[in-house]
Amino acid sequence: MGESETQRRQVGDSDSPIEDELEGAFQRMVDEGTQRLHRAWREVLVTGFFGGTEVAVGVLAYLSVLAATRNHLLAGIAFSIGFLALLLGRSELFTEGFLVPVTTVVAKRASVGQLLKLWIGTLIANLVGGWAIMWLIMTGFPKLHAQTIESGTHFATAPISAETVALSLLGGMVITLMTRMQHGTESTFGKIAAAVAGGFLLAGLQMFHSILDSLLIFGALIAGAPFGYGDWATWFAYTVVGNVVGGLLLVTLLRLLRSKDRLQDERQEAESEPTTA
């Protein structure tokens, strides 16, 4: 152990090679990620389904405020209800699966196969659950049809360009940054503030988010939009890639580099533990 690393360990309350605050956040991420990645398929699909329904509730709030005020920033704050439901309900959103699960896999507390199961299962379940609630919303609130078609068309018909790719990268970065902020504190108020900030940026600034905006598009299609599911699939294909790249490269990778020494300790500890049949 080098002199500088020894000094860092001696200054803090713990013997971790990173600051005490980062050590707490790191341990919370690994503990939570281990639980999430070791779920059975049934649990992955159910929590993902609930995640989609809760984001759809946020979409209802977003559309209602936008229709009444024509102000995207106010509507973005209203949408944060969906992220608050995710936070307090402990549901799963696909784009929240970058920082915590990837850190857990790198720490050798779970496998790549378990990560792919979480991603695939959660993504599908988010879309199914979200579509179901959007059908109910469009059936129960016909006055929102015009606003929903307008909002959904904005995304579904957007061509692939430097602007739309940048918006999808930023969307992945912001949702992963929200996750990072929530795991960086034990304060419930701090976690809530991060959820509101994330909702404001994603929905209020109309960033491209593969799940949130898919629900707007689904609602528009249910309400009779002048485009089809093929248009959604084209938009979704490049948006989901942008979200993944933005979340992994712009936030998760930097966090892994920041915690490199602590990750190495965790990997060695995981390798030294006896395996169970």
Side-chain angles (χ1 to χ4, degrees), residues 180-256:
R180 178 185 172 187
M181 290 191 293
Q182 289 177 336
H183 285 83
T185 179
E186 295 183 89
S187 165
T188 300
F189 177 80
K191 294 177 186 292
I192 290 173
V196 174
F200 173 79
L201 290 172
L202 279 171
L205 298 182
Q206 293 183 287
M207 294 182 183
F208 279 31
H209 185 271
S210 53
I211 304 300
L212 159 61
D213 301 332
S214 284
L215 301 196
L216 286 171
I217 294 171
F218 291 163
L221 287 166
I222 294 167
F227 55 83
Y229 282 94
D231 297 297
W232 163 76
T234 301
W235 170 88
F236 182 79
Y238 74 82
T239 299
V240 73
V241 171
N243 286 171
V244 172
V245 173
L248 291 181
L249 293 186
L250 299 181
V251 179
T252 302
L253 178 60
L254 297 177
R255 186 56 183 265
L256 293 178

Coordinates of all heavy atoms in Angstrom, one line a residue, residues 180-256:
R180 N -27.4 8.1 -8.8 CA -26.2 8.4 -8.1 C -26.4 9.3 -6.9 O -25.9 9.1 -5.8 CB -25.1 9.0 -9.0 CG -23.8 9.3 -8.3 CD -22.8 10.0 -9.2 NE -21.6 10.5 -8.4 CZ -20.7 11.2 -9.0 NH1 -20.8 11.6 -10.2 NH2 -19.7 11.6 -8.2
M181 N -27.2 10.3 -7.1 CA -27.5 11.3 -6.0 C -28.3 10.6 -4.9 O -28.0 10.8 -3.7 CB -28.2 12.5 -6.6 CG -27.4 13.4 -7.4 SD -28.2 15.0 -7.8 CE -29.6 14.4 -8.8
Q182 N -29.2 9.7 -5.3 CA -30.1 9.1 -4.3 C -29.3 8.1 -3.5 O -29.5 7.9 -2.3 CB -31.2 8.4 -5.0 CG -32.3 9.4 -5.5 CD -33.4 8.7 -6.3 OE1 -33.2 7.5 -6.8 NE2 -34.5 9.3 -6.4
H183 N -28.2 7.5 -4.0 CA -27.4 6.6 -3.3 C -26.3 7.2 -2.6 O -25.6 6.6 -1.8 CB -26.9 5.5 -4.2 CG -27.9 4.4 -4.6 ND1 -28.8 4.6 -5.6 CD2 -28.2 3.2 -4.0 CE1 -29.6 3.6 -5.7 NE2 -29.3 2.7 -4.8
G184 N -26.1 8.5 -2.8 CA -25.0 9.3 -2.2 C -25.5 9.9 -0.8 O -24.7 10.5 -0.1
T185 N -26.7 9.7 -0.5 CA -27.2 10.2 0.8 C -28.2 9.2 1.5 O -28.8 8.4 0.8 CB -28.0 11.5 0.6 OG1 -28.5 12.0 1.8 CG2 -29.2 11.3 -0.4
E186 N -28.2 9.2 2.8 CA -29.2 8.4 3.5 C -30.4 9.2 3.9 O -31.4 8.7 4.5 CB -28.5 7.9 4.8 CG -27.4 6.9 4.5 CD -26.8 6.3 5.8 OE1 -27.4 5.2 6.2 OE2 -25.9 6.9 6.3
S187 N -30.4 10.5 3.5 CA -31.5 11.4 3.8 C -32.7 11.2 2.9 O -32.6 11.2 1.7 CB -31.1 12.9 3.7 OG -32.2 13.8 3.7
T188 N -33.9 10.9 3.5 CA -35.1 10.8 2.6 C -35.4 12.0 1.9 O -35.8 12.0 0.7 CB -36.3 10.4 3.5 OG1 -36.0 9.2 4.2 CG2 -37.5 10.2 2.7
F189 N -35.2 13.2 2.5 CA -35.4 14.5 1.8 C -34.5 14.6 0.6 O -34.9 15.1 -0.4 CB -35.2 15.6 2.8 CG -35.4 17.0 2.1 CD1 -36.6 17.5 1.9 CD2 -34.2 17.7 1.7 CE1 -36.8 18.8 1.3 CE2 -34.4 18.9 1.1 CZ -35.6 19.5 0.9
G190 N -33.2 14.2 0.8 CA -32.3 14.3 -0.3 C -32.7 13.4 -1.4 O -32.5 13.8 -2.6
K191 N -33.1 12.2 -1.2 CA -33.6 11.3 -2.2 C -34.8 11.8 -3.0 O -34.9 11.7 -4.2 CB -33.9 9.9 -1.6 CG -32.7 9.2 -1.0 CD -33.2 7.9 -0.3 CE -32.1 7.2 0.4 NZ -31.0 6.7 -0.5
I192 N -35.7 12.5 -2.2 CA -36.9 13.0 -2.9 C -36.5 14.2 -3.7 O -37.0 14.4 -4.9 CB -37.9 13.5 -1.8 CG1 -38.5 12.3 -1.1 CG2 -39.0 14.4 -2.4 CD1 -39.4 12.6 0.1
A193 N -35.6 15.1 -3.2 CA -35.1 16.2 -4.0 C -34.4 15.7 -5.3 O -34.6 16.3 -6.4 CB -34.1 17.0 -3.2
A194 N -33.7 14.6 -5.3 CA -33.1 14.1 -6.5 C -34.1 13.6 -7.5 O -34.0 13.8 -8.7 CB -32.1 12.9 -6.1
A195 N -35.2 13.0 -7.0 CA -36.3 12.5 -7.9 C -37.0 13.7 -8.5 O -37.3 13.6 -9.7 CB -37.3 11.7 -7.0
V196 N -37.2 14.8 -7.8 CA -37.9 15.9 -8.4 C -37.0 16.6 -9.4 O -37.4 17.0 -10.5 CB -38.2 16.9 -7.3 CG1 -38.8 18.2 -7.9 CG2 -39.3 16.4 -6.3
A197 N -35.7 16.7 -9.1 CA -34.7 17.2 -10.1 C -34.6 16.4 -11.3 O -34.6 16.9 -12.5 CB -33.3 17.3 -9.4
G198 N -34.6 15.1 -11.2 CA -34.6 14.2 -12.4 C -35.8 14.4 -13.2 O -35.7 14.4 -14.5
G199 N -37.0 14.4 -12.6 CA -38.2 14.6 -13.4 C -38.3 15.9 -14.1 O -38.7 16.0 -15.2
F200 N -37.8 17.0 -13.4 CA -37.8 18.3 -14.0 C -36.9 18.3 -15.3 O -37.3 18.9 -16.3 CB -37.3 19.3 -13.0 CG -37.1 20.7 -13.5 CD1 -38.1 21.6 -13.7 CD2 -35.8 21.1 -13.9 CE1 -37.9 22.8 -14.2 CE2 -35.6 22.4 -14.4 CZ -36.7 23.2 -14.6
L201 N -35.7 17.8 -15.2 CA -34.8 17.8 -16.3 C -35.3 16.9 -17.5 O -35.3 17.3 -18.6 CB -33.4 17.4 -15.9 CG -32.7 18.3 -14.9 CD1 -31.4 17.7 -14.4 CD2 -32.3 19.6 -15.7
L202 N -35.7 15.7 -17.1 CA -36.1 14.7 -18.2 C -37.3 15.2 -18.9 O -37.4 15.3 -20.2 CB -36.2 13.3 -17.6 CG -35.0 12.5 -17.4 CD1 -35.3 11.3 -16.6 CD2 -34.3 12.2 -18.7
A203 N -38.4 15.4 -18.2 CA -39.7 15.7 -18.8 C -39.8 17.2 -19.1 O -40.3 17.6 -20.2 CB -40.8 15.3 -17.8
G204 N -39.3 18.1 -18.2 CA -39.4 19.5 -18.4 C -38.6 20.0 -19.6 O -39.1 20.9 -20.3
L205 N -37.5 19.4 -19.9 CA -36.6 19.8 -21.0 C -36.8 18.9 -22.2 O -36.1 19.0 -23.2 CB -35.2 19.8 -20.6 CG -34.8 20.8 -19.5 CD1 -33.3 20.8 -19.1 CD2 -35.3 22.2 -19.8
Q206 N -37.7 18.0 -22.2 CA -38.1 17.0 -23.2 C -36.8 16.3 -23.8 O -36.6 16.1 -24.9 CB -38.7 17.8 -24.4 CG -40.1 18.4 -24.1 CD -40.7 19.0 -25.3 OE1 -40.4 20.1 -25.7 NE2 -41.8 18.4 -25.8
M207 N -36.0 15.8 -22.8 CA -35.0 14.9 -23.2 C -35.6 13.6 -23.7 O -36.7 13.3 -23.4 CB -34.0 14.6 -22.0 CG -33.3 15.9 -21.5 SD -32.1 15.5 -20.2 CE -31.5 17.1 -19.8
F208 N -34.8 12.8 -24.4 CA -35.3 11.5 -24.9 C -35.0 10.4 -23.9 O -33.9 10.1 -23.6 CB -34.6 11.2 -26.3 CG -35.2 11.9 -27.4 CD1 -35.8 13.2 -27.3 CD2 -35.2 11.4 -28.7 CE1 -36.3 13.9 -28.4 CE2 -35.7 12.0 -29.8 CZ -36.3 13.3 -29.6
H209 N -36.1 9.9 -23.4 CA -36.0 8.8 -22.4 C -36.8 7.6 -22.9 O -38.0 7.8 -23.2 CB -36.5 9.3 -21.0 CG -36.4 8.3 -19.9 ND1 -37.3 7.4 -19.7 CD2 -35.3 8.1 -19.1 CE1 -36.9 6.6 -18.7 NE2 -35.7 7.0 -18.3
S210 N -36.2 6.5 -23.0 CA -36.8 5.3 -23.7 C -38.1 4.9 -23.1 O -39.0 4.5 -23.8 CB -35.8 4.2 -23.8 OG -35.3 3.9 -22.5
I211 N -38.3 4.9 -21.8 CA -39.5 4.5 -21.1 C -40.5 5.6 -21.0 O -41.6 5.5 -21.5 CB -39.2 3.9 -19.7 CG1 -38.2 2.8 -19.8 CG2 -40.5 3.4 -19.1 CD1 -38.6 1.6 -20.7
L212 N -40.1 6.7 -20.4 CA -41.0 7.9 -20.2 C -41.7 8.3 -21.6 O -42.9 8.4 -21.7 CB -40.3 9.0 -19.6 CG -40.9 10.4 -19.8 CD1 -42.3 10.5 -19.2 CD2 -39.9 11.5 -19.2
D213 N -40.9 8.5 -22.6 CA -41.4 9.0 -23.9 C -42.2 7.9 -24.6 O -43.1 8.2 -25.4 CB -40.3 9.5 -24.7 CG -39.6 10.7 -24.0 OD1 -40.3 11.4 -23.2 OD2 -38.4 10.9 -24.2
S214 N -41.8 6.6 -24.4 CA -42.6 5.5 -25.0 C -44.0 5.5 -24.5 O -44.9 5.3 -25.3 CB -41.9 4.2 -24.7 OG -40.8 3.9 -25.4
L215 N -44.2 5.9 -23.2 CA -45.5 5.9 -22.7 C -46.3 7.0 -23.3 O -47.5 6.9 -23.5 CB -45.5 6.0 -21.1 CG -44.8 4.9 -20.4 CD1 -45.1 4.9 -18.9 CD2 -45.0 3.5 -21.0
L216 N -45.7 8.2 -23.5 CA -46.4 9.3 -24.2 C -46.8 8.8 -25.6 O -47.9 9.1 -26.1 CB -45.4 10.5 -24.3 CG -45.2 11.3 -23.0 CD1 -44.1 12.3 -23.2 CD2 -46.5 12.0 -22.6
I217 N -45.9 8.1 -26.3 CA -46.2 7.6 -27.7 C -47.3 6.6 -27.6 O -48.2 6.6 -28.5 CB -44.9 7.0 -28.3 CG1 -43.8 8.2 -28.5 CG2 -45.2 6.4 -29.6 CD1 -42.5 7.7 -28.9
F218 N -47.2 5.7 -26.7 CA -48.3 4.7 -26.5 C -49.7 5.4 -26.3 O -50.7 5.0 -26.9 CB -48.1 3.7 -25.4 CG -46.9 2.8 -25.6 CD1 -46.3 2.2 -24.5 CD2 -46.4 2.6 -26.8 CE1 -45.2 1.3 -24.7 CE2 -45.3 1.7 -27.0 CZ -44.7 1.1 -25.9
G219 N -49.7 6.4 -25.5 CA -50.9 7.1 -25.2 C -51.4 7.8 -26.5 O -52.6 7.7 -26.8
A220 N -50.5 8.3 -27.3 CA -50.9 9.0 -28.5 C -51.4 8.0 -29.5 O -52.4 8.2 -30.2 CB -49.7 9.7 -29.1
L221 N -50.8 6.8 -29.6 CA -51.3 5.7 -30.5 C -52.7 5.3 -30.1 O -53.6 5.1 -30.9 CB -50.3 4.6 -30.5 CG -49.0 4.8 -31.2 CD1 -48.0 3.7 -30.8 CD2 -49.2 4.8 -32.7
I222 N -52.9 5.1 -28.8 CA -54.2 4.7 -28.3 C -55.3 5.8 -28.6 O -56.4 5.5 -28.9 CB -54.2 4.4 -26.8 CG1 -53.3 3.2 -26.5 CG2 -55.5 4.2 -26.2 CD1 -52.8 3.0 -25.1
A223 N -54.9 7.0 -28.5 CA -55.8 8.1 -28.8 C -56.0 8.4 -30.3 O -56.8 9.3 -30.6 CB -55.3 9.4 -28.1
G224 N -55.3 7.7 -31.2 CA -55.5 7.8 -32.6 C -54.5 8.7 -33.3 O -54.8 9.4 -34.3
A225 N -53.3 8.6 -32.9 CA -52.2 9.4 -33.5 C -52.0 9.0 -35.0 O -52.2 7.9 -35.4 CB -50.9 9.2 -32.7
P226 N -51.5 10.0 -35.8 CA -51.3 9.7 -37.2 C -50.0 9.0 -37.5 O -49.3 9.3 -38.5 CB -51.3 11.1 -37.8 CG -50.8 12.0 -36.8 CD -51.3 11.4 -35.5
F227 N -49.5 8.1 -36.7 CA -48.3 7.3 -36.9 C -48.5 5.9 -36.3 O -49.6 5.7 -35.7 CB -47.0 8.0 -36.3 CG -47.1 8.3 -34.9 CD1 -46.9 7.4 -33.9 CD2 -47.5 9.6 -34.5 CE1 -47.0 7.7 -32.5 CE2 -47.6 9.9 -33.1 CZ -47.3 8.9 -32.2
G228 N -47.6 5.0 -36.5 CA -47.8 3.7 -36.0 C -46.8 3.2 -35.1 O -45.8 3.9 -34.7
Y229 N -46.9 1.9 -34.7 CA -46.0 1.3 -33.8 C -44.6 1.1 -34.4 O -43.6 1.0 -33.7 CB -46.5 -0.1 -33.2 CG -47.5 0.1 -32.1 CD1 -48.9 0.1 -32.4 CD2 -47.1 0.3 -30.8 CE1 -49.8 0.3 -31.4 CE2 -48.1 0.5 -29.8 CZ -49.4 0.5 -30.1 OH -50.4 0.7 -29.1
G230 N -44.5 1.1 -35.7 CA -43.3 1.0 -36.4 C -42.5 2.2 -36.2 O -41.2 2.2 -36.1
D231 N -43.1 3.4 -36.2 CA -42.5 4.7 -35.9 C -41.9 4.7 -34.5 O -40.8 5.2 -34.3 CB -43.4 5.8 -36.1 CG -43.9 5.9 -37.6 OD1 -43.1 6.1 -38.5 OD2 -45.1 5.8 -37.8
W232 N -42.7 4.2 -33.6 CA -42.2 4.1 -32.2 C -41.0 3.2 -32.1 O -40.0 3.5 -31.5 CB -43.3 3.5 -31.3 CG -42.7 3.0 -30.0 CD1 -42.3 3.8 -28.9 CD2 -42.4 1.6 -29.6 NE1 -41.8 3.0 -27.9 CE2 -41.9 1.7 -28.3 CE3 -42.6 0.4 -30.3 CZ2 -41.5 0.5 -27.7 CZ3 -42.3 -0.8 -29.6 CH2 -41.7 -0.7 -28.3
A233 N -41.0 2.0 -32.8 CA -39.9 1.1 -32.8 C -38.6 1.7 -33.3 O -37.5 1.5 -32.7 CB -40.2 -0.2 -33.6
T234 N -38.7 2.5 -34.4 CA -37.5 3.1 -34.9 C -37.0 4.1 -33.9 O -35.8 4.2 -33.7 CB -37.9 3.9 -36.2 OG1 -38.4 2.9 -37.2 CG2 -36.7 4.6 -36.8
W235 N -37.9 5.0 -33.4 CA -37.4 5.9 -32.4 C -36.8 5.3 -31.1 O -35.8 5.7 -30.6 CB -38.6 6.8 -32.0 CG -38.3 7.7 -30.8 CD1 -37.8 8.9 -30.8 CD2 -38.5 7.4 -29.4 NE1 -37.7 9.4 -29.5 CE2 -38.1 8.5 -28.7 CE3 -39.0 6.2 -28.8 CZ2 -38.2 8.5 -27.3 CZ3 -39.1 6.3 -27.4 CH2 -38.7 7.4 -26.6
F236 N -37.5 4.2 -30.7 CA -37.1 3.5 -29.5 C -35.7 2.9 -29.7 O -34.9 2.9 -28.7 CB -38.1 2.4 -29.1 CG -37.8 1.7 -27.9 CD1 -38.1 2.2 -26.6 CD2 -37.2 0.4 -27.9 CE1 -37.8 1.5 -25.5 CE2 -36.9 -0.3 -26.8 CZ -37.2 0.2 -25.6
A237 N -35.4 2.3 -30.9 CA -34.2 1.6 -31.1 C -33.0 2.5 -30.8 O -32.0 2.1 -30.2 CB -34.1 1.1 -32.5
Y238 N -33.0 3.7 -31.4 CA -31.8 4.6 -31.2 C -31.8 5.3 -29.8 O -30.8 5.6 -29.2 CB -31.6 5.6 -32.3 CG -32.5 6.8 -32.4 CD1 -32.3 7.9 -31.6 CD2 -33.6 6.8 -33.3 CE1 -33.2 9.0 -31.7 CE2 -34.4 7.9 -33.4 CZ -34.2 9.0 -32.6 OH -35.0 10.1 -32.7
T239 N -33.0 5.5 -29.3 CA -33.1 6.2 -28.0 C -32.6 5.3 -26.9 O -31.9 5.8 -26.0 CB -34.6 6.6 -27.7 OG1 -35.0 7.6 -28.7 CG2 -34.7 7.3 -26.4
V240 N -33.0 4.0 -26.9 CA -32.6 3.1 -25.8 C -31.1 2.9 -25.9 O -30.4 2.9 -24.8 CB -33.3 1.8 -25.9 CG1 -32.8 0.9 -27.0 CG2 -33.2 1.1 -24.6
V241 N -30.5 2.9 -27.1 CA -29.0 2.8 -27.2 C -28.4 4.0 -26.6 O -27.4 4.0 -25.8 CB -28.6 2.6 -28.6 CG1 -27.1 2.7 -28.8 CG2 -29.1 1.2 -29.1
G242 N -28.9 5.2 -26.9 CA -28.4 6.5 -26.4 C -28.5 6.5 -24.9 O -27.5 7.0 -24.2
N243 N -29.6 6.1 -24.4 CA -29.7 6.1 -22.9 C -28.7 5.2 -22.2 O -28.1 5.6 -21.2 CB -31.1 5.6 -22.5 CG -32.2 6.6 -22.8 OD1 -33.4 6.3 -22.7 ND2 -31.9 7.8 -23.1
V244 N -28.5 4.0 -22.8 CA -27.5 3.1 -22.2 C -26.1 3.7 -22.3 O -25.4 3.7 -21.3 CB -27.6 1.7 -22.9 CG1 -26.4 0.8 -22.4 CG2 -28.9 1.0 -22.7
V245 N -25.7 4.2 -23.4 CA -24.4 4.8 -23.6 C -24.2 6.0 -22.7 O -23.2 6.1 -22.0 CB -24.2 5.1 -25.1 CG1 -22.8 5.9 -25.2 CG2 -24.1 3.9 -25.9
G246 N -25.2 6.8 -22.6 CA -25.1 8.0 -21.8 C -25.0 7.7 -20.3 O -24.2 8.2 -19.6
G247 N -25.8 6.7 -19.9 CA -25.8 6.3 -18.5 C -24.5 5.6 -18.1 O -23.9 5.8 -17.0
L248 N -24.0 4.7 -19.0 CA -22.8 3.9 -18.7 C -21.5 4.8 -18.8 O -20.6 4.7 -17.9 CB -22.7 2.7 -19.6 CG -23.8 1.6 -19.3 CD1 -23.6 0.5 -20.3 CD2 -23.8 1.1 -17.9
L249 N -21.4 5.5 -19.9 CA -20.1 6.2 -20.1 C -20.0 7.6 -19.4 O -18.9 7.9 -18.9 CB -19.9 6.4 -21.6 CG -19.7 5.2 -22.5 CD1 -19.4 5.6 -23.9 CD2 -18.6 4.3 -22.0
L250 N -21.1 8.3 -19.3 CA -21.0 9.6 -18.8 C -21.2 9.7 -17.2 O -20.9 10.7 -16.6 CB -22.1 10.5 -19.4 CG -22.0 10.7 -20.9 CD1 -23.1 11.6 -21.4 CD2 -20.6 11.2 -21.3
V251 N -21.7 8.6 -16.6 CA -21.8 8.6 -15.2 C -21.2 7.3 -14.5 O -20.3 7.4 -13.7 CB -23.3 8.7 -14.7 CG1 -23.4 8.7 -13.2 CG2 -23.9 10.0 -15.3
T252 N -21.7 6.2 -15.0 CA -21.2 4.9 -14.3 C -19.7 4.7 -14.4 O -19.1 4.3 -13.4 CB -22.0 3.7 -14.9 OG1 -23.4 3.9 -14.8 CG2 -21.6 2.4 -14.2
L253 N -19.2 4.8 -15.6 CA -17.8 4.6 -15.8 C -16.9 5.5 -15.0 O -15.9 5.1 -14.3 CB -17.4 4.8 -17.3 CG -15.9 4.6 -17.6 CD1 -15.4 3.2 -17.3 CD2 -15.6 4.8 -19.1
L254 N -17.3 6.8 -14.9 CA -16.5 7.7 -14.1 C -16.6 7.4 -12.6 O -15.6 7.5 -11.9 CB -17.1 9.1 -14.3 CG -16.9 9.7 -15.7 CD1 -17.5 11.1 -15.8 CD2 -15.4 9.7 -16.1
R255 N -17.8 6.9 -12.2 CA -17.9 6.5 -10.8 C -17.1 5.2 -10.5 O -16.5 5.1 -9.4 CB -19.4 6.2 -10.4 CG -19.7 5.9 -9.0 CD -19.2 7.0 -8.1 NE -19.3 6.7 -6.7 CZ -20.4 7.1 -5.9 NH1 -21.4 7.8 -6.5 NH2 -20.5 6.8 -4.7
L256 N -17.0 4.3 -11.4 CA -16.2 3.1 -11.2 C -14.7 3.5 -11.2 O -14.0 2.9 -10.3 CB -16.4 2.2 -12.4 CG -17.8 1.5 -12.5 CD1 -17.9 0.6 -13.7 CD2 -18.1 0.7 -11.2

